[in-house]
Amino acid sequence: MTDLAEDRPILEARSIQKSFGPLEVLKGVSMAVRAAEMVMIIGASGFGKSTFLRCLNRLEDPDRGQVFLDGQEITRPGIDLNKARREIGMVFQMFNLYPHMSALGNVALAPRKVLKLSRQEAEQRARAALEMVGIADKLKAYPGQLSGGQQQRVGIARALAMRPKVILFDEPTSALDPELVGEVLAVMRRMREQGMTMVVVTHEMSFAESAADWVIYLDQGEIVEEGVPAQIFRDPQHQRTRAFLARTLQR
């Protein structure tokens, strides 16, 4: 008999709608992510991808719809939103590091302030997270002494140090010089291999094709097509998907 808890998505969105004034940005978007999956969301800029991601951890409140984390609805009234956000990490386009703090200090801050760990425990977690992203040798460096790729890896380590159930990535390589993109994508591949659950908004099509478990094409606030990477990239069923990929892959 199937274990229902094991089969249940760890993160689920049901019919998420969001408008800003008269502009309807999300038109009933649904998604289910199971533990250890990497789900990638692709699509042109300005059509709701980042807004959808922000609705998943309640940085934006959906107008309608529900979000569930490990079976618990986090869009219901009275939810402990701080607790929910502790379990959903977020990596942004811009690194948002504190310039006056070292890499170790940036990563250890949230475990100390939010989880109330001792300095020693928080720094132990931070060191482990920085080692996981491949920059343990930079723990004393300040953001201004790091490349963009290294700063983004500190941002990923900061999310990892909270030990969330899911990490959301909002175009994590878009602010990087092209030669630095690969080092961040390599870290994300390792995280996938180690079983981290991730939802990634990305413009890196080759990365999505090679690393994702599931790909969602979001356009004009709705899911046009979704499936395994081989189907989406090699045999897309919808004309809008084909047109998007043709434009994107020609660049």
Side-chain angles (χ1 to χ4, degrees):
M1 190 165 131
T2 303
D3 187 328
L4 293 178
E6 286 185 7
D7 191 54
R8 181 181 67 203
I10 196 165
L11 181 66
E12 184 178 10
R14 297 180 186 172
S15 302
I16 298 298
Q17 298 179 36
K18 181 67 179 179
S19 296
F20 296 104
L23 179 62
E24 190 177 14
V25 178
L26 298 173
K27 304 173 182 177
V29 179
S30 299
M31 178 190 71
V33 184
R34 285 172 171 76
E37 278 190 332
M38 178 185 272
V39 173
M40 297 212 189
I41 304 173
I42 62 173
S45 297
F47 287 125
K49 302 187 305 300
S50 294
T51 299
F52 178 58
L53 214 62
R54 292 169 67 87
C55 286
L56 294 177
N57 69 350
R58 297 283 307 279
L59 286 175
E60 294 283 356
D61 284 326
D63 298 331
R64 291 187 180 83
Q66 300 166 293
V67 178
F68 294 84
L69 177 65
D70 209 7
Q72 301 296 313
E73 186 187 349
I74 65 170
T75 40
R76 64 177 172 79
I79 189 73
D80 184 344
L81 197 51
N82 289 329
K83 180 178 184 297
R85 285 182 180 148
R86 289 197 293 269
E87 297 181 330
I88 306 178
M90 185 88 174
V91 177
F92 299 92
Q93 297 177 36
M94 304 306 294
F95 320 125
N96 298 328
L97 302 179
Y98 290 106
H100 64 286
M101 300 178 71
S102 67
L104 181 68
N106 268 282
V107 177
L109 183 62
R112 284 179 57 210
K113 299 295 186 181
V114 179
L115 301 182
K116 307 301 182 185
L117 299 185
S118 69
R119 179 181 291 274
Q120 182 178 2
E121 291 173 313
E123 290 188 352
Q124 186 175 17
R125 277 199 187 193
R127 285 189 176 91
L130 288 164
E131 184 171 358
M132 187 179 297
V133 301
I135 50 172
D137 59 328
K138 300 292 185 181
L139 60 89
K140 293 183 180 179
Y142 289 84
Q145 300 171 313
L146 300 173
S147 70
Q150 290 168 336
Q151 289 184 62
Q152 189 59 292
R153 284 191 278 167
V154 174
I156 295 172
R158 181 175 53 190
L160 285 169
M162 294 294 287
R163 299 185 181 169
K165 293 179 178 178
V166 182
I167 297 183
L168 312 177
F169 293 80
D170 188 6
E171 298 187 22
T173 61
S174 65
L176 299 179
D177 293 333
E179 65 270 19
L180 301 177
V181 168
E183 65 186 68
V184 173
L185 299 184
V187 167
M188 295 171 68
R189 286 182 192 276
R190 287 201 301 274
M191 291 168 64
R192 177 184 181 272
E193 291 164 2
Q194 293 168 6
M196 188 71 228
T197 307
M198 295 181 276
V199 180
V200 184
V201 169
T202 185
H203 289 293
E204 299 291 337
M205 294 299 111
S206 60
F207 179 57
E209 184 173 7
S210 63
D213 294 293
W214 194 254
V215 177
I216 294 171
Y217 171 47
L218 189 69
D219 184 47
Q220 299 182 27
E222 60 186 0
I223 294 177
V224 174
E225 188 166 354
E226 60 183 311
V228 296
Q231 183 249 302
I232 295 295
F233 288 100
R234 299 177 199 172
D235 188 26
Q237 301 301 298
H238 200 289
Q239 173 58 32
R240 282 159 67 184
T241 314
R242 292 194 290 270
F244 167 74
L245 291 173
R247 289 193 308 271
T248 305
L249 297 175
Q250 280 175 358
R251 293 175 186 169

